[in-house]
Amino acid sequence: MDEIYNDCTKCYKLCNAIYFQHKFIDWTSGNNDIDKLIQATQLLSHKNVKVALELIPYHRLDDIKYIDENKFGKVYKANWIDGCIFRWSIYKRDWIRHQNMVVKLESLNNLKNVKFGFINKIRKDHEFYGITQDPETGNYLIVLKDICEKCNNVCNVIHFQNNFENWTSGNNDIDKLIQDTQLSSHNETTHVLEWIPYDRFYSIEYIKENKLGKVYRANWIDGCIWYWEEITQNWKRNDHMFVILESLNTPKIFTLELINKV
Ligand SMILES: [Zn+2]
Ligand SMILES: [Zn+2]
Ligand SMILES: [Zn+2]
């Protein structure tokens, strides 16, 4: 169907508010107050798409994990398959999005009267994307940018945390120990430990033996973490660096004490 887009009476051209308005017929939360509230934010988005909230279909969220509980109810992390809006595509006649974003879901147990004041309150310390509803419980959840509550932004801890699922040493104690260093890495990465798969090393050469076991020299393909790079959404590293590998014949005594000694 070919839709006619009329210029915005405020911007005198096509703008985000117009594109949102054309999609009003495509969604409803089933709750008139919520619909009206979301629409109101969208109609304010003329030049700034970030002020618009969306109704986010619950089935577009996957990997939903319980994190903890705050005064309003349960808090979860999830992967938002579509991700937040980047800009409108005139060619596709649809929004271009940052796909697969980790987001935080906070329950709204007593969402009786949602008003603009409520949105502004949330916006004070959160980037706020929209509202979703768990079809099983009927509960509404607000969808927020996943930020560190301590730093009030997306710090190293968030990036490490979002990757916890993707690695394991096979030893719970070691995993926990490495994770602990990562969870305190808010604004620096020098004291962070990582689990490094053995196949990320090459040119491994035996050097000598010390009291803990054999010592090797190797090249680490990826190299140590330098900083988080927004464009690639990955760690910038000092790649192909020389490292020393020391054996841990008795990994059971692998505690923080040992790390501090190293
Ligand atoms: Zn406009
Ligand atoms: Zn919060
Ligand atoms: Zn932090």
Side-chain angles (χ1 to χ4, degrees):
M1 191 181 78
D2 241 9
E3 285 178 276
I4 311 294
Y5 291 78
N6 292 316
D7 284 354
C8 171
T9 52
K10 194 182 166 214
C11 307
Y12 302 110
K13 58 175 184 143
L14 295 178
C15 72
N16 294 319
I18 298 295
Y19 303 133
F20 276 116
Q21 204 173 21
H22 272 261
K23 290 189 177 282
F24 281 179
I25 50 162
D26 296 342
W27 60 269
T28 176
S29 67
N31 174 320
N32 205 32
D33 289 343
I34 293 181
D35 286 1
K36 282 274 166 315
L37 188 78
I38 292 174
Q39 288 176 2
T41 65
Q42 294 182 346
L43 291 174
L44 289 172
S45 68
H46 304 276
K47 281 191 193 111
N48 181 8
V49 81
K50 283 196 169 182
V51 306
L53 296 182
E54 292 186 88
L55 181 73
I56 298 165
Y58 195 77
H59 71 268
R60 304 307 292 163
L61 300 163
D62 62 13
D63 257 335
I64 300 175
K65 278 177 229 115
Y66 171 76
I67 303 276
D68 71 278
E69 189 136 5
N70 68 13
K71 63 183 171 184
F72 301 109
K74 295 198 161 81
V75 178
Y76 305 86
K77 266 195 190 188
N79 174 53
W80 183 9
I81 299 164
D82 307 307
C84 71
I85 289 171
F86 175 46
R87 63 174 172 82
W88 180 261
S89 161
I90 294 165
Y91 168 70
K92 284 166 60 188
R93 292 194 162 209
D94 206 347
W95 300 107
I96 296 177
R97 291 167 179 277
H98 297 282
Q99 295 180 354
N100 290 310
M101 288 175 51
V102 179
V103 288
K104 208 182 212 178
L105 311 177
E106 294 189 8
S107 306
L108 287 172
N109 281 346
N110 37 18
L111 189 77
K112 291 268 150 57
N113 49 352
V114 277
K115 300 234 169 66
F116 245 94
F118 143 87
I119 294 179
N120 292 332
K121 219 191 227 167
I122 295 169
R123 284 225 160 111
K124 266 208 296 197
D125 18 54
H126 297 283
E127 199 164 312
F128 188 8
Y129 299 126
I131 298 172
T132 191
Q133 187 181 27
D134 180 342
E136 265 175 40
T137 61
N139 286 342
Y140 289 101
L141 301 125
I142 52 174
V143 182
L144 307 169
K145 186 172 191 170
D146 187 26
I147 59 163
C148 170
E149 306 276 339
K150 191 183 164 209
C151 304
N152 219 357
N153 63 34
V154 185
C155 74
N156 295 322
V157 170
I158 300 293
H159 300 307
F160 280 118
Q161 223 171 23
N162 292 340
N163 198 37
F164 278 0
E165 291 260 303
N166 300 326
W167 61 268
T168 177
S169 66
N171 175 319
N172 256 340
D173 292 340
I174 294 180
D175 285 1
K176 181 81 181 41
L177 187 79
I178 293 174
Q179 286 177 3
D180 283 349
T181 69
Q182 296 182 348
L183 290 175
S184 54
S185 67
H186 299 276
N187 49 33
E188 57 94 26
T189 56
T190 33
H191 298 103
V192 161
L193 298 182
E194 291 184 86
W195 176 252
I196 306 162
Y198 195 74
D199 62 10
R200 304 311 293 166
F201 296 109
Y202 65 99
S203 306
I204 301 172
E205 277 170 60
Y206 171 76
I207 304 178
K208 60 169 182 181
E209 188 133 4
N210 67 14
K211 60 179 182 214
L212 293 172
K214 293 196 164 77
V215 179
Y216 304 87
R217 199 176 80 140
N219 253 304
W220 181 8
I221 298 168
D222 313 296
C224 70
I225 284 172
W226 187 11
Y227 61 88
W228 180 262
E229 198 177 46
E230 281 303 324
I231 312 162
T232 58
Q233 286 292 296
N234 212 333
W235 297 108
K236 184 84 189 158
R237 291 167 178 275
N238 300 310
D239 53 2
H240 296 277
M241 63 190 285
F242 275 111
V243 290
I244 301 293
L245 310 176
E246 296 188 12
S247 308
L248 286 171
N249 283 342
T250 44
K252 284 201 187 85
I253 56 146
F254 192 71
T255 62
L256 258 179
E257 229 172 288
L258 174 68
I259 287 167
N260 291 334
K261 253 188 234 161
V262 175

